[in-house]
Amino acid sequence: MTRILLLGGTTEASTLAKTLAGAGADAVFSYAGRTAKPVSQPLPTRVGGFGGAEGLAAYLTAEAITHVVDATHPFAAQMSTNAVQACVAAGVPLCAFERPAWQAGEGDNWIHVDSIDSAVDALPEMPARVFLAIGKQNLSQFAAKPQHHYLLRLVDQPDAPLPLPNTTVEIARGPFDAAGDTALMQRHGITQVVAKNAGGIGAVAKLTAARSLGLPVIMIDRPELPGRPVKGRVAEVIAWLAHPAS
Ligand code: NAP
């Protein structure tokens, strides 16, 4: 009997959930619970942390999970590390469903950095108008450069004062398109973009828009994660579920 835990929070996780539900798979979808109204899924859904790697290992055993698919965001490093440890402890096979990183192409002006702090350092000293397209986490680190105006795009209205003095907040949920993001950046007179190298199609529009407007992008590279099999397509995940040693 196969029973799958799908760790979600990405467009790709939702796509996989649809396929699994369509195939009648016994699967549970898991959200961290970061957004007020998460996209509803066609699978039984649980919300909230497991309580670290130990809590997740206990959950896997209690729920008789036979396979874990980690389709969290490439920057959700804590969850992905916990998943590797928990699956080893519980003896449950794990694979990641992860979109490839974005690559700079002709006309792109990307400055690669390896952390949020390096992205802050890469911003100029002179006041600029920055599209800080990194979600709501890690905003406080940008308080080190309070001279800039920051355009933030968030899923939910902030429920606490923002740690940055000079911001405009746009409430929107992806996927986004290039025409809309170009207009947004023009409307706000953006001079640079800060992005996480998430990959995928849902959030690539800001990079297309930056290229067409000739704007520099400070690109935060992905965090290092423990080794695990990584699949890039739904069909590969389905094949792995049938033969997890592959
Ligand atoms: P994180 O730092 O790696 O995880 C922090 C803790 O949140 C985990 O230790 C776990 O708590 C809980 N958690 C994370 N993902 C979970 C899931 N799918 N189901 C149940 N618990 C989960 O993660 P994060 O960067 O805060 O991201 C949180 C969620 O937002 C993820 O699902 C991710 O896919 C999504 N997301 C993240 C980003 C980003 O830039 N980081 C962007 C878009 C979407 P316990 O230790 O208690 O189990």
Side-chain angles (χ1 to χ4, degrees), residues 73 116 131-140 142 151-156 162 164 172 194-196 206:
H73 191 274
I116 301 279
F131 182 15
L132 190 51
I134 61 165
K136 69 177 173 185
Q137 297 179 42
N138 311 113
L139 295 179
S140 58
F142 288 84
L151 170 63
L152 311 176
R153 180 158 59 193
L154 305 175
V155 175
D156 298 310
L162 291 167
L164 303 170
V194 178
K196 291 175 176 172
K206 58 181 175 270

Side-chain angles (χ1 to χ4, degrees), residues 5-11 13 29-35 46-56 70-82 99 133-138 155 196 198 225:
L5 173 65
L6 172 53
L7 300 171
T10 57
T11 311
F29 193 101
S30 178
Y31 272 124
R34 294 282 189 275
T35 55
R46 64 165 302 287
V47 180
F50 297 96
E54 277 179 22
L56 177 54
D70 177 0
T72 57
H73 191 274
F75 281 74
Q78 187 62 57
M79 185 69 248
S80 294
T81 303
N82 291 353
R99 52 234 188 160
I134 61 165
K136 69 177 173 185
Q137 297 179 42
N138 311 113
V155 175
K196 291 175 176 172
L225 292 175

